[in-house]
Amino acid sequence: MTTTFILGGARSGKSRFAENLVITSGLERHYVATGRAWDDEMQARIDQHRADRGPAWTTHEEPLDLAERLAAIDGEGRAVLVDCLTLWLTNLMMEGGDIAARSAALAAFLPRAKARLVIVSNEVGLGIVPENRMAREFRDHAGRLHQMIAAQAADVYFIAAGLPLKMKG
C-alpha cells in the first residue's frame, strides 16, 4: 500500500492528524508505540494515549525492532500507525544500537508493506545547534532517518499548530 510520513514539533497535532488518517481509512487499526516509560510521568502519558485511542486499536509496543515488528503485523486490510520515530531513535541510542543499519532496514521495508503505514516523528532540526555531543548526534541521526523515510513515503506532511502542510504527494 502506501506510506504517509508526518513530521512536526512537540504538541503540534501530528499524532491526532495521523490517528485521523488511520480512522478515516476504514482499515483495521494497529498502533505501534515506540516509547518507553522511563518514569511515572511518561507512564501516565502512555496510559492516557492508550485510553484516548480506545479499544478499536490493536496496540503493539516496540522500542527497538521496528522493521521486524512491522513485517510481523503487515497485511492487506490493515492500517499501521507508528508513533514515533524519534522515541525509537532515542531507544536505539540508549541501547547502543546500530542506528544506520536499523534505519536502512526500516526504509527498505516500506516499499514492500502490504498495510497502509502512517509514521510520525518529531522534527528536531529547526532549532539552534545543540550544546552537547549526544544531542547533536541525535539531531543528525534524526535528520538522516527522516530523509530516508520521506524518500520512501508517498505522502509527507508537516504539522504546525494543528494545521497540516502537505510537502509531498
Side-chain angles (χ1 to χ4, degrees):
M1 283 205 65
T2 62
T3 298
T4 300
F5 186 36
I6 301 168
L7 291 164
R11 295 286 178 241
S12 63
K14 61 192 176 296
S15 293
R16 184 178 331 111
F17 181 78
E19 289 173 7
N20 285 334
L21 286 179
V22 171
I23 290 167
T24 59
S25 75
L27 301 169
E28 181 183 308
R29 301 175 201 168
H30 290 260
Y31 186 97
V32 178
T34 62
R36 284 182 165 166
W38 297 103
D39 56 33
D40 291 341
E41 186 268 340
M42 187 62 173
Q43 185 62 58
R45 284 178 181 255
I46 290 169
D47 293 344
Q48 186 63 55
H49 277 283
R50 182 174 283 138
D52 289 347
R53 282 192 308 277
W57 294 78
T58 300
T59 300
H60 310 267
E61 295 184 7
E62 187 51 66
L64 298 171
D65 298 324
L66 187 53
E68 295 87 345
R69 176 60 64 116
L70 289 174
I73 64 173
D74 189 30
E76 293 181 18
R78 291 183 173 177
V80 180
L81 192 163
V82 176
D83 200 354
C84 80
L85 291 186
T86 45
L87 288 175
W88 176 66
L89 181 59
T90 299
N91 296 335
L92 291 176
M93 289 182 74
M94 298 301 285
E95 296 282 334
D98 187 339
I99 294 165
R102 298 233 185 186
S103 296
L106 176 60
F109 171 75
L110 301 183
R112 299 190 320 263
K114 296 178 190 102
R116 164 109 192 262
L117 301 177
V118 179
I119 301 173
V120 175
S121 196
N122 291 288
E123 176 53 63
V124 297
L126 298 174
I128 61 171
V129 175
E131 67 180 32
N132 66 72
R133 179 180 178 168
M134 184 175 191
R136 287 188 299 275
E137 288 175 354
F138 176 80
R139 179 209 51 199
D140 294 347
H141 288 308
R144 286 188 290 272
L145 174 61
H146 291 165
Q147 290 180 57
M148 293 170 70
I149 301 307
Q152 295 298 327
D155 299 299
V156 178
Y157 290 90
F158 185 81
I159 311 296
L163 302 172
L165 171 64
K166 193 166 194 178
M167 300 172 67
K168 179 182 176 183

